[in-house]
Amino acid sequence: MRRLLGSLVALVVAAGAAVLTWPSAFGVERVFPIAQLISFRAPLAAVMIAATLLMLLFAFIRPVRALALVLALIFGVSGGINAAVLFQRGLGSEDLPAKTATSLRVMTWNTAGSATSAESIAQFAVGMQADVVTLPETTIDTGAQVAEMMRDMGQPMWAHHAEYGEYGITGWDATSTTVLIRPELGDYSVIESSLDGSSNTSTVPSAVAMPTSGDGPIIVAAHAVAPRRDYMTQWRSDLQWLADQCAGDNVILAGDFNATLDHMTGMGVDGGTLGRCHDTASESGNGGVGTWPTDAPAMLGAPIDHVMATPDWTVSGSVVMRSLDGSGSDHRPIVVQLERTAG
């Protein structure tokens, strides 16, 4: 009976570890509550490694030695795989190459509305020489202030936005997404379906800015709803909508996806991460760095903010800015440098 019970415990633990380590193999990466748990691979890896050490201690107790060793193996393999995935995606690189005349720097920052001052946004954007800035949870009033401050610092920007009131809370900053674009990229306009919500993310808005002159990229300032239990359907729909924006060419998609790369498994086409867009942070050493929340160390957070681009663009560097954790927002900004893909 003891052996049977031990086998059952080992099977249950192995199944749970397998689901949390490789959820896409079971098709549960976008299913509650697995989606929430796998958002934090680093803590999962730490828990698995700690459990391995604990089981090795239990192995000194003769009656449970066999079971403890089996569980130590299960936890050890799971912890090792999770750690390997994090290392593969990148645990932090703050090296941005020198900006050239052909480089494009894209910055995204969920500012948590009035929690982050317009001055902080403007100073950081100018300091990073950003050409495109996407700001989920930022009103156009704040965006206009940022643009004016950047102009006064010698880096003018045009401000665009999309907004609508969901959650039943009119005036809540999360119902607005702003995007700033340097005039050198050409004239831009937010498409009508972003403005009226006829084709947009479900609950908080995204903004699709199309060039009306010049050869600049289509810029999608993204904001998917958070995967709370009552919003799982909307969250999955939002991710699919964002993937659909990357069906064409010359698209840059940047913002708060409320999703990690694990959640996007199976949503890419032609080698992309989401639609035809590829994730730039994971290609430049920062894919495992948490962007939320700022009150947890970056290596224990969830990488849910992204800059993505179609194959027209190649990433040459990125940075997840950790020095701004006290600025007010619960998200860390990301800055990515892109180059036109040769050929």
Side-chain angles (χ1 to χ4, degrees):
M1 179 62 72
R2 180 184 296 174
R3 183 174 297 176
L4 176 61
L5 181 60
S7 297
L8 288 174
V9 169
L11 285 172
V12 170
V13 171
V19 167
L20 293 176
T21 302
W22 215 260
S24 60
F26 304 88
V28 295
E29 67 273 14
R30 293 185 288 275
V31 175
F32 181 89
I34 304 302
Q36 286 70 21
L37 293 173
I38 65 171
S39 297
F40 301 92
R41 267 200 186 263
L44 274 176
V47 168
M48 294 296 183
I49 292 170
T52 301
L53 298 176
L54 182 62
M55 289 302 103
L56 289 175
L57 289 176
F58 274 110
F60 287 102
I61 304 174
R62 185 178 297 273
V64 296
R65 178 174 298 166
L67 176 60
L69 288 173
V70 171
L71 294 181
L73 177 62
I74 294 170
F75 288 131
V77 169
S78 178
I81 292 175
N82 275 285
V85 170
L86 286 170
F87 275 107
Q88 179 190 24
R89 292 175 180 172
L91 299 181
S93 171
E94 298 188 4
D95 296 326
L96 278 178
K99 190 177 181 184
T100 69
T102 58
S103 301
L104 183 71
R105 283 199 180 171
V106 181
M107 164 185 158
T108 187
W109 194 2
N110 181 327
T111 62
S114 59
T116 307
S117 69
E119 184 178 11
S120 294
I121 301 168
Q123 288 178 343
F124 180 62
V126 170
M128 299 306 295
Q129 298 178 279
D131 302 294
V132 175
V133 180
T134 68
L135 301 169
E137 299 194 18
T138 305
T139 65
I140 188 58
D141 290 340
T142 300
Q145 291 178 43
V146 172
E148 290 171 3
M149 290 178 182
M150 292 182 69
R151 178 200 62 199
D152 293 342
M153 297 178 200
Q155 188 171 316
M157 305 286 274
W158 291 117
H160 307 272
H161 82 297
E163 66 179 3
Y164 49 79
E166 290 289 345
Y167 284 127
I169 305 175
T170 302
W172 185 35
D173 289 344
T175 62
S176 183
T177 295
T178 292
V179 55
L180 308 177
I181 304 171
R182 289 195 73 169
E184 288 83 353
L185 289 177
D187 294 328
Y188 275 79
S189 177
V190 174
I191 64 175
E192 189 62 31
S193 58
S194 288
L195 299 175
D196 63 20
S198 58
S199 176
N200 207 320
T201 39
S202 65
T203 311
V204 287
S206 299
V208 179
M210 297 284 291
T212 58
S213 68
D215 62 350
I218 298 169
I219 298 166
V220 183
H223 196 187
V225 70
R228 298 182 178 89
R229 184 170 188 171
D230 293 339
Y231 285 88
M232 292 300 293
T233 299
Q234 293 93 322
W235 174 66
R236 288 188 287 266
S237 173
D238 285 356
L239 292 182
Q240 185 57 60
W241 184 88
L242 292 172
D244 292 343
Q245 307 314 301
C246 281
D249 296 324
N250 203 18
V251 178
I252 293 175
L253 181 63
D256 177 6
F257 292 60
N258 271 306
T260 70
L261 297 181
D262 293 302
H263 299 127
M264 301 176 197
T265 304
M267 300 189 74
V269 297
D270 298 334
T273 306
L274 197 64
R276 296 181 66 244
C277 286
H278 54 100
D279 182 67
T280 58
S282 60
E283 294 180 354
S284 52
N286 283 293
V289 181
T291 61
W292 177 89
T294 54
D295 56 5
M299 292 317 306
L300 296 180
I304 61 173
D305 301 88
H306 304 272
V307 175
M308 298 191 178
T310 49
D312 314 82
W313 298 90
T314 300
V315 60
S316 57
S318 69
V319 58
V320 177
M321 188 57 61
R322 310 181 201 194
S323 62
L324 296 174
D325 286 0
S327 64
S329 175
D330 55 348
H331 288 250
R332 296 182 179 94
I334 301 177
V335 180
V336 169
Q337 182 160 312
L338 299 170
E339 313 289 344
R340 292 274 188 180
T341 302

